[in-house]
């Protein structure tokens, strides 16, 4: 019997690549990975699975209706899981255009193809940022209103709404997973944790936006992959699921912990790292806090995170220490231009 195929989009990105590896390990399905290979992608993230006969990489854009349609006709995926996105808030502040293109029009293109080809499951990978700033509010439940702050969050909220509309109007079996901040090996150094590790390893300062008291819920990427597969297979069709640990940490506390783990791993003086925090101009529109309730995924699917922040940071720091060449290769010329725009010219604003 022919093996069932799953279409994973954005599988060369940070979370998508962990998910592709996890899927190939946990299930016997074929995995078709459609990725445009933007600056955020790296084929090296999946170098260990490229020889697996069940894995197929297709370079292409999720907004290309012809290519997407052809892929659905050829591969007849029973399920789609959409990771493909522009994913960094700071870049969305510098230029929202590619965010609207990929995160909204790309989702529309995939939904249309999924509708025509009658997939059994369409899982949209979303974010807790769609709820907006929750400082002073109880953790958000899935029915709470969407009040995105950044162009990135607005584009992801738009995609969620499209998925819900396709469910109601066309009966497409969509599901949505809204996860909190992920971290782990192979994360791009534009994001806070790898950026901090890289700068500390290089002897540079770590830029802390505003007062550093903003709060996030840090989720180890492998725990998220496990949650996503649960939602894909066993989630209620039409359902929305928050995915997070329930533990919230301020940026300053997170950075302190990174310094302590680095010092331990390198047998160095923690103060040589702690002294390198540098308060810089805040991100425009910066959300003070994200916090979501995880009751639903816990009660309906029995999912719980298994890696706590200390353990996750240790694994992450160790990986980056052992893979400094990857980190430096990823921080290429275009990364340096981006870094200059955000941290030196400070958002290109007067
Ligand atoms: P990433 O930026 O590391 O990877 C995105 C991938 O999508 C890249 O491989 C890129 O080449 C691909 N891509 C971009 N535009 C494309 C297009 N038009 N067509 C095809 N491929 C395209 O992102 P990530 O951090 O792995 O996030 C994956 C998903 O999870 C995103 O949808 C993001 O919104 C969501 N998410 C991320 C986090 C996080 O903390 N990183 C948290 C919650 C939700
Ligand atoms: P980030 O990794 O960009 O994720 P998000 O904004 O999607 O939550 O940032 C995490 C937190 O760290 C956020 O509050 C912004 C802050 N931050 C800094 O203080 N300095 C930095 O250089 C970066 C990239 C982020």
């Amino acid at each position: 019997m022919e093996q069932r195929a799953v279409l994973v989009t954005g599988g060369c990105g940070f979370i998508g690549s962990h998910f592709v590896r996890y899927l190939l390990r946990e299930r016997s399905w074929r995995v078709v990975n459609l990725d445009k290979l933007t600056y955020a992608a790296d084929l090296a993230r999946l170098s260990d699975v490229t020889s697996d006969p069940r894995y197929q990489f297709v370079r292409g854009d999720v907004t290309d209706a012809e290519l997407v349609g052809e892929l659905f006709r050829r591969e007849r995926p029973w399920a789609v899981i959409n990771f493909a996105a522009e994913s960094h808030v700071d870049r969305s502040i510098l230029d929202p255009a590619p965010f609207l293109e990929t995160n909204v029009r790309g989702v529309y293109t995939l939904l249309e193809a999924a509708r025509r080809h009658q997939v059994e499951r369409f899982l949209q990978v979303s974010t807790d940022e769609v709820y907006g700033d929750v400082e002073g509010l109880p953790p958000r439940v899935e029915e709470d209103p969407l009040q995105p702050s950044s162009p990135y969050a607005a584009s992801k909220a738009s995609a969620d709404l499209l998925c819900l509309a396709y469910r109601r109007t066309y009966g497409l079996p969509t599901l949505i997973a809204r996860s909190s901040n992920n971290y782990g090996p192979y994360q791009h150094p534009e994001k806070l944790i790898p950026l901090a590790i890289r700068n500390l390893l290089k002897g540079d300062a770590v830029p802390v936006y505003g007062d550093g008291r903003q709060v996030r819920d840090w989720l180890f990427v492998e725990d998220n992959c496990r949650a996503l597969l649960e939602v894909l297979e066993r989630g209620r069709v039409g359902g929305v699921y928050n995915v997070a640990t329930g533990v919230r940490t301020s940026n300053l506390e997170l950075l302190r912990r990174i310094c302590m783990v680095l010092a331990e791993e390198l047998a160095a003086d923690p103060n040589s790292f702690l002294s390198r925090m540098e308060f810089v101009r805040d991100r425009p529109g910066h959300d003070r806090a994200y916090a979501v309730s995880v009751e639903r995924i816990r009660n309906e699917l029995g999912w719980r995170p298994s890696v706590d922040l200390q353990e996750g940071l240790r694994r992450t720091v160790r990986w980056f220490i052992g893979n400094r060449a990857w980190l430096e290769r990823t921080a290429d010329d275009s990364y340096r231009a981006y870094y200059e725009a955000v941290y030196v010219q400070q958002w290109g604003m007067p």
Side-chain angles (χ1 to χ4, degrees), residues 230-244:
E230 290 286 358
V231 174
L232 182 72
E233 287 188 300
R234 299 199 299 120
R236 242 181 323 108
V237 162
V240 181
Y241 293 86
N242 293 335
V243 188

Side-chain angles (χ1 to χ4, degrees), residues 132-140 215 248 287-291:
D133 198 342
V134 308
E135 189 177 44
L137 299 173
R140 300 290 80 186
V215 169
R248 289 136 210 150
D287 286 331
R288 299 287 301 176
Y290 297 134

